[in-house]
Amino acid sequence: MTEVGKKNDLIVLTEGALITALAMVLSFVPHSTGVSSVEFVYGLIPMSIYALRRGLKPGLMAGLAWGILDLVLRGFSSGGFLNPLQGFVEYPLAFGVVGLIGLGSVQVKRSIKDGKSALGLIIFYSALGFFAKYFLHFIAGGIYWGTYAPKGMNPWIYSLVINGGSFIANMIMLVVLAVVLNRVFKQLIIVKS
Ligand code: 218
């Protein structure tokens, strides 16, 4: 690898560490939606921007690091960890797959460089990553969180309401921000050399 290649890898990694730290810090800001267990996850916004800016592998790696940190700093103490398999699926894996947003990196950056808003593509690929995360929470919810369902409610319906609700809440947050701050999003996604 060339010296320039190595230096760039170091920049990508450093950005990933900063974004992960930011996502983690944001989870300590109150983020209730008013409906119990349905939360805004503010860190999804910087993660989405990072994955679109740097692509699939950096996105997956940053998401994975975020998931491990969230498990250690919040999961164990908040009661979000029930057993090793559930913990693995809902933390490293569910946060990691947010990086799938990076699948849209090339297309989104091309669209921005062509002078377009890229809004549809940003929303589409963010939806892909957010959906992957909440689909895993939905599966885990149906299997492991049924005891928290209101009396008589089917665990899978309960999980669909909670995790489907979280997916929708976070999509609304992303769409509003991507529309209002479209210029900022575009500037943050494009890598200036
Ligand atoms: C129905 C239900 N309730 C709770 C959980 C657990 N869950 C949901 C979303 C996100 C996370 C990760 C920490 O923010 C967790 C542990 C569930 N899957 N389903």
Side-chain angles (χ1 to χ4, degrees), residues 83-97:
N83 62 62
L85 178 60
Q86 173 271 341
F88 173 73
V89 170
E90 295 211 81
Y91 288 91
L93 195 59
F95 284 73
V97 294

Side-chain angles (χ1 to χ4, degrees), residues 37 39 41 70 74-75 78-81 86 90-91 94-95 133-134 136-142 145-146 148 155 158-160 162-163 166:
S37 305
E39 291 181 338
V41 181
D70 200 83
R74 295 176 57 85
S78 71
F81 176 89
Q86 173 271 341
E90 295 211 81
Y91 288 91
F95 284 73
K133 180 178 197 289
Y134 284 102
L136 290 173
H137 292 310
F138 163 67
I139 299 293
W145 294 92
Y148 293 81
Y158 172 64
S159 186
L160 183 66
I162 297 294
N163 296 301
S166 292

Side-chain angles (χ1 to χ4, degrees), residues 4 8 16 34 36 39 47 49 55 64 72 80 89 93 107 109 128 132 137 145 156 159 171 178-179 181 185-186:
V4 174
N8 192 254
S36 71
E39 291 181 338
M47 271 301 153
I49 290 171
L64 178 70
V72 173
V89 170
L93 195 59
Q107 219 181 328
K109 286 193 277 190
L128 183 77
H137 292 310
W145 294 92
W156 291 96
S159 186
M171 277 311 297
V179 170
L181 301 178
F185 268 59
K186 287 193 290 182

Side-chain angles (χ1 to χ4, degrees), residues 116-135:
K116 304 190 185 127
S117 77
L119 200 56
L121 289 170
I122 293 172
I123 293 170
F124 175 81
Y125 284 103
S126 297
L128 183 77
F130 290 16
F131 184 85
K133 180 178 197 289
Y134 284 102
F135 182 72

